[in-house]
Amino acid sequence: MSDEGYDHATVERRWQEAWDDADVYRTPDDVDDPTYVLGMYPYPSGKLHMGHVRNYTITDAYARYRRMQGDDVLHPMGWDAFGLPAENAAKERDTNPRDWTFDCIETMTDQMESMGFGYDWEREITTCTPEYYQWNQWLFSRFHEEGLVERRDAEVNWCPECETVLADEQVEGDDELCWRCDTPVEQRELEQWFLKITEYADELLEAIDDLEGWPNSVRQMQRNWIGRQYGTELDFEIGGYGSVEAFTTRVDTIHGATFFALAPDHPISEELAEEDDDVRHFIEHEADPDGDEPNGVETGLTATNPVTGDEIPVYVADFVLSDVGTGALMAVPGHDERDHAFAEKMGIEIKPVIAPEPDDWDGETVPDAPDVSEDAFTDDGVLINSGEYSGLDSETARERLTEDIDSAEKATQYQLRDWGISRQRYWGTPIPVIHCDDCGPVMVPEEDLPVELPEFINTTGNPLDAAEEWKATTCPDCGSPATRETDTMDTFVDSSWYFLRYVSPGSEEVPFDLERANDWMPVDQYVGGIEHAVMHLLYSRFFTKVLADHEGLEHREPFTNLLAQGMVQLEGEKMSKSKGNVVSPQRIVEDYGADTARLFMMQAAQPERDFDWSEEGVRSTYAFLTRLQGMVEDYVADEPDGDDDAIASYVDAEIDATIAIASGEYDDLTFNKALRETQDLVRTLRQYADYTEPHAETYERGLSAVVRLLAPVTPHLAEELYDELGGDGFVADADWPTAEIDRDRVAKRRRLVENTREDIRDIVEVAGIEDPQAIDVVIAPDWKYDALEIAIESDADNLIGELMQQSHIRQQGDAAADYGQDLQAEREALTMSLEPDAEYEALEAAAWLIEREFEAPVDVVRADEADDSVLKNAEPGRPAIEIED
RNA sequence: GCGAGGGUAGCCAAGCGGUCAACGGCGGCGGACUCAAGAUCCGCUCGUGUAGACGUUCGUGGGUUCGAUUCCCUCCCCUCGCACCA
């Protein structure tokens, strides 16, 4: 396989060293508003996988493209270096997380260099260093000062395998599995640190509308996650227990509330459990919040409907969740499916109070009740059986009832919860707090930051808890003996602002240089996996907003354009170690080179789509590069001296077309299309050289354009070939090729040529012409172009009449009338063709393609040199064809 | 159930009101080159057709339009996210 190809190893090594020596990818601090291109930084697991390669090839190609377009570019890389796997690996290998992590970083850095990724390594950041994580601590203190940190008892998700707390976002699926290890998650009550992201819920939600550079899927996922709902909070009196608050979005159905339900862990349920055996038994043994079946137990209590005064039975039910709404609800089985199911099961009354709005409703008449015995009617409609509210529409009734009921208030509920950042693990940022018996939890003063991690202790629980010496300290407030907080921060804290740190990675006084951040931010193009759609991308938005409000950052959103890249699959399946269907990037680089791997990936599919890895595809990509290399070599070794003829002009026009199209596609990050065009041009150039002695200047211009168009994706070979062609400096710094041509004309010209060739093939085939002797291609007369233009612009009913007003058209007599009829028939679909001269030139330039294919001389003929009988078939955009056999 | 994105010729996949029987790739067929194979190059790949035509096609069934693969609605199917959410 690879022994047939070019010497990629030598080429790649040579240019990697040359780039390194010349510091090609450095972004100086004094550049003005660079284009900021960023890939989500990796967790240093030890090896680059195909997902990384794809992700970073996308950003690298785009960064290189922008640089060649003349932009200053910021394209940094760093390491999401804290996290549990390092701890586990350290235990397995009897080392410590720090050494293991830095080993991994070293390996992965080498792999990234071997892929040819052009990063400014001077800006590298590593989150597990005190130089970085001190700023997590500093930010935590700042958040605390601004009232955005809270410590409270919380029922938390606990993973017994990882021995740590998980955020809601880290619990996956119906089975509630840990996102890292797929262990079922348990619930525990612990004192936890929270960042109050809910304070920003409204802005985080509303600003999504303006994130036009983000994929809809991600925007929608964030909207769902925040889950804002407008409704009403109101009190129900429960005999003996006072008033209980319930939340409802459908207060218009309150006259149909036939029972009241409490969550099993609602305070009243817990109180009841102490005296009522049935309730206790239900809560402890029967309640199954995860089951499909709604279960419940009657309490014997009643609640008073604040509108009707009715006494309705109170149940403890497992379908009521304490963290949704208020953990207590008024149940309306007539108009809520879940309440309906429960009422049916328990034999509770089902009462319709909303009717579908009749089509011809007058706005007053009270319609007939719907049948809700089998199914609830859950849409809005018109109130019935609702006393003075009957006859109102749902919307109005909700307003009125919320006003009229004493205890009722408009309320907004969110699904978004505050962000619990406490983790009971070692390898993370220590939360900078000291616990004092007298003063309680006290922030570590800024001058004492960072709180550095102690040496790793290999133990089953939290190593920080075992670090006795480290734990013992004194209270910053009162000076008495005190202990350090042993929780560390969720690593998503690190990644919520790392994109700001790249701006000034060495800052010792501040987390980031504010002035530069204001100039350089936001990230223009962010690229990463869809798995971060909610967590990382939502937290980063939150941090950015807090920093805007309290630290003078002048941007409220971190990422202008977001690309969620697709997966690299093998036979339609996600590559994964457990399935054993992994293709190693390292092996591909060894066998075919980084350029081949990069080019294959970028041309295989649009970046956001999944695609299948194919060894066959890799081989043909490699063959393509080898061929290209040969073409350049041959050209340089023996420069051709062909004429600047029609064929050269065809090739020249194709070069322009390719540049124009490929540039547009690079702008849109649709590398696959840009590369397809570029590869087409290579084929055109080869055909050219095969067919005739090329015109040196034209041919070289083509090769040079190809090399530069490929340079963002295959940087090493592009450097090599650019050098061979005599380019100055690095192709990485070269100017992007330019073409003064618009895509519309390109498309028209190509279509004309392609249609003409197809027509000739059709004729040869259908007419059974074995061996064509000569082919004439005849351009339509000028008057037809004029007629076409008139037909397009005219809105007259009688097109023929309109045409005949032109004397030079009228002179054509029957021919004009015939063509006028044709135009009339297709009137609405007409589009302007190229001008006659442009058509002549395009076909003349493409004649060699036809001659080559049919092995017959081709004559492109102007209308005034042709017979009238032939001209009959010629139209603008469609020359007449005469084949002699 | 809700939401988002999809369903295009043997397969993958573009197009997203007329230039569309529908770009491109793979696979298949034929041809050139070669002693041969590979690579490369040139065609063909819905049906019919002895001069560029016609017919039937873009999940299903309707609709809008002079005209729909492209816009609207119904239904079916796929993928992803959320979900006993009050």
Side-chain angles (χ1 to χ4, degrees), chain A residues 803-822:
Chain A
L803 292 175
M804 292 309 176
Q805 285 173 27
Q806 304 290 322
S807 59
H808 74 290
I809 295 176
R810 193 171 54 239
Q811 281 169 12
Q812 307 301 324
D814 287 351
D818 286 351
Y819 186 52
Q821 304 245 312
D822 290 350

Side-chain angles (χ1 to χ4, degrees), chain A residues 14 24 109 112 138 238 309 347 377 420 428 475 511 645 708 828 844:
Chain A
R14 175 185 310 140
V24 173
T109 306
M112 284 181 177
W138 184 88
I238 296 188
F377 171 71
C475 173
D645 54 10
R708 282 175 293 155
E828 310 287 341
E844 180 69 19

Side-chain angles (χ1 to χ4, degrees), chain A residues 311-628:
Chain A
E311 295 295 319
I312 55 177
V314 175
Y315 290 79
V316 174
D318 61 4
F319 69 85
V320 186
L321 307 175
S322 60
D323 61 349
V324 174
T326 60
L329 59 85
M330 67 170 210
V332 185
H335 303 286
D336 181 281
E337 279 169 24
R338 186 203 46 226
D339 296 348
H340 194 279
F342 189 77
E344 263 190 329
K345 180 173 171 176
M346 309 301 278
I348 304 167
E349 188 194 354
I350 300 171
K351 185 178 157 193
V353 293
I354 305 285
E357 184 179 310
D359 290 339
D360 53 354
W361 192 46
D362 58 12
E364 282 173 36
T365 316
V366 179
D368 294 336
D371 179 9
V372 290
S373 55
E374 292 294 319
D375 286 299
F377 171 71
T378 58
D379 293 345
D380 275 6
V382 180
L383 274 69
I384 57 172
N385 301 329
S386 297
E388 57 176 299
Y389 299 94
S390 294
L392 293 177
D393 65 276
S394 291
E395 179 85 47
T396 311
R398 283 195 286 269
E399 296 277 330
R400 289 265 283 274
L401 281 155
T402 305
E403 269 172 40
D404 295 351
I405 301 166
D406 282 344
S407 66
E409 269 180 24
K410 283 190 180 176
T412 308
Q413 286 279 329
Y414 301 89
Q415 202 170 303
L416 181 71
R417 296 286 102 108
D418 278 334
W419 176 15
I421 60 158
S422 289
R423 298 290 178 273
Q424 288 65 44
R425 302 303 316 176
Y426 168 79
W427 196 231
T429 304
I431 293 177
V433 167
I434 289 165
H435 294 280
C436 169
D437 285 344
D438 296 328
C439 310
V442 178
M443 287 293 131
V444 174
E446 194 177 329
E447 60 270 22
D448 293 344
L449 297 181
V451 176
E452 289 200 39
L453 283 169
E455 286 298 302
F456 180 64
I457 298 171
N458 194 339
T459 167
T460 37
N462 179 353
L464 287 185
D465 216 25
E468 296 295 344
E469 217 173 293
W470 176 85
K471 250 169 68 177
T473 183
T474 52
C475 173
D477 281 1
C478 71
S480 11
T483 54
R484 289 192 185 281
E485 168 68 61
T486 57
D487 284 353
T488 51
M489 294 182 200
D490 182 357
T491 56
F492 279 111
V493 173
D494 313 4
S495 56
S496 293
W497 68 281
Y498 79 108
F499 43 88
L500 285 159
R501 185 69 182 170
Y502 286 128
V503 157
S504 58
S507 288
E508 291 178 5
E509 305 299 321
V510 288
F512 54 89
D513 183 290
L514 183 62
E515 205 178 314
R516 206 178 302 149
N518 284 337
D519 185 24
W520 289 13
M521 284 289 288
V523 174
D524 294 285
Q525 182 63 59
Y526 198 35
V527 181
I530 188 77
E531 66 273 20
H532 293 112
V534 174
M535 293 188 270
H536 162 56
L537 290 169
L538 191 62
Y539 297 148
S540 297
R541 297 181 60 220
F542 165 50
F543 264 55
T544 303
K545 290 176 192 307
V546 173
L547 292 169
D549 283 338
H550 301 295
E551 287 297 319
L553 186 66
E554 288 169 5
H555 305 282
R556 301 195 71 82
E557 289 289 344
F559 315 120
T560 306
N561 293 295
L562 174 70
L563 173 71
Q565 108 250 10
M567 282 188 299
V568 184
Q569 304 179 322
L570 203 60
E571 284 157 3
E573 288 204 68
K574 183 179 178 171
M575 286 190 191
S576 76
K577 269 187 233 159
S578 56
K579 282 195 207 116
N581 62 343
V582 178
V583 177
S584 148
Q586 197 157 357
R587 198 209 94 217
I588 301 300
V589 170
E590 280 163 17
D591 289 354
Y592 307 99
D595 285 338
T596 297
R598 294 168 56 124
L599 177 57
F600 168 68
M601 278 195 166
M602 293 300 97
Q603 70 173 24
Q606 290 180 16
E608 48 275 277
R609 301 190 91 105
D610 297 343
F611 79 94
D612 258 19
W613 183 266
S614 134
E615 195 79 12
E616 186 59 40
V618 176
R619 267 195 282 269
S620 79
T621 302
Y622 187 53
F624 166 79
L625 290 179
T626 302
R627 253 177 279 136
L628 176 64

